[in-house]
Amino acid sequence: MISMDDRVVGAPCWADLMTPDIDQAIDFYSSVFDWTAERGDEATYGGYTTFFRDGEKVAGVMQRQPDDVTPSAWTTYLLTLNAASTAAAIAEAGGTVVFEPMDVPSMGVMGFAIDPSGAAIGYWQPGGHEGWDAYAVPNAVAWNELHTTDFRAATEFYQRAFDWTFTVAGDTDEFRYSNFQKGEELLAGVMDGSGWLTDATPSAWQLYIGSSDVDATVARALEKGATVVEALEVTPYGTLAGITDPGGAYLKLRSI
């Protein structure tokens, strides 16, 4: 269990999925990652559902409204202790505050923004819900990274809005990548995607889910209706693969 004392302000602390078919999503993620799902009260929380891994919170999922044309996608949330101050910092740093921070009864305060490169990012001020309880273990979120069309604008934004300190992992046209780092801990990454991102695949945050056997996880995902977007690849950062779930949301798998 991750306590508040172990969390880093500005670091990813939660992720949730917006999907056109919540029942399909619950079936998929429960089958592929052995998650259990707990539905929230419809009147208070709109049916927002929390996924658990061995009793520990790992992610959430919500139903997309019928008239919402937003693509199905995972959202990463960064930890803040004052959502109102973070919203002001986002605006001052050149981001767009999509809506003013919103109270989630007994849980916390949620905000949502667009960074200067066009990527959506959430932020979360904990109340009764402090974020995920398990991280960087099999069948839990294992990494969060931004692929951006404007690397300089993005890194400057997260430095100013969320007080990130970066360490450089690569600085060539072929591989430009920096990590948000606190002490010895790597907390999130930013990759220069200007060489391959297009209008059809714009700047976006990427969610990685850990797996003890990526090949077997891909096989289970395919059986449940997933599509392989990036075939399994062994890299210096682990074995990786990219898939879309049956609702069309993209996610990556990473060996743990």
Side-chain angles (χ1 to χ4, degrees):
M1 189 77 69
I2 304 170
S3 72
M4 278 301 294
D5 291 339
D6 296 324
R7 300 178 193 271
V8 176
V9 174
C13 67
W14 187 244
D16 60 25
L17 171 67
M18 179 73 77
T19 182
D21 188 335
I22 194 169
D23 292 323
Q24 180 188 62
I26 290 171
D27 178 61
F28 176 80
Y29 287 94
S30 298
S31 299
V32 176
F33 298 108
D34 199 26
W35 290 352
T36 56
E38 183 179 295
R39 290 182 184 261
D41 177 70
E42 190 70 37
T44 305
Y45 302 112
Y48 188 94
T49 297
T50 302
F51 284 120
F52 293 83
R53 170 197 180 273
D54 297 333
E56 296 183 322
K57 296 189 301 295
V58 289
V61 58
M62 69 184 86
Q63 177 79 42
R64 189 178 70 195
Q65 296 302 311
D67 58 348
D68 187 352
V69 297
T70 305
S72 178
W74 280 93
T75 297
T76 295
Y77 293 81
L78 306 182
L79 176 65
T80 177
L81 301 183
N82 189 318
S85 294
T86 296
I90 287 169
E92 291 171 3
T96 301
V97 176
V98 177
F99 54 79
E100 291 303 311
M102 179 178 67
D103 239 3
V104 181
S106 77
M107 295 296 176
V109 183
M110 178 183 71
F112 196 76
I114 307 296
D115 74 24
S117 71
I121 184 67
Y123 49 103
W124 178 253
Q125 176 186 323
H129 188 308
E130 295 181 349
W132 46 50
D133 296 324
Y135 177 77
V137 294
N139 295 338
V141 177
W143 186 243
N144 297 264
E145 96 191 348
L146 171 65
H147 291 184
T148 177
T149 56
D150 193 332
F151 183 82
R152 181 175 178 179
T155 51
E156 288 179 354
F157 169 78
Y158 288 95
Q159 285 173 325
R160 294 177 59 193
F162 293 97
D163 198 29
W164 283 18
T165 300
F166 284 103
T167 55
V168 176
D171 192 23
T172 67
D173 290 343
E174 291 74 29
F175 181 69
R176 184 165 288 108
Y177 195 107
S178 288
N179 288 299
F180 168 35
Q181 185 166 355
K182 183 84 168 183
E184 297 299 313
E185 189 175 5
L186 301 179
L187 299 163
V190 179
M191 178 180 283
D192 182 2
S194 58
W196 77 85
L197 293 174
T198 66
D199 290 343
T201 56
S203 298
W205 276 86
Q206 310 293 324
L207 180 85
Y208 291 73
I209 297 179
S211 171
S212 57
D213 186 336
V214 174
D215 195 39
T217 301
V218 169
R220 288 197 301 274
L222 288 173
E223 289 175 359
K224 298 301 294 185
T227 301
V228 174
V229 178
E230 296 164 352
L232 185 144
E233 179 185 10
V234 178
T235 79
Y237 308 100
T239 301
L240 309 177
I243 64 173
T244 54
D245 70 19
Y250 175 75
L251 66 144
K252 300 196 78 167
L253 305 171
R254 180 183 184 183
S255 61
I256 294 289

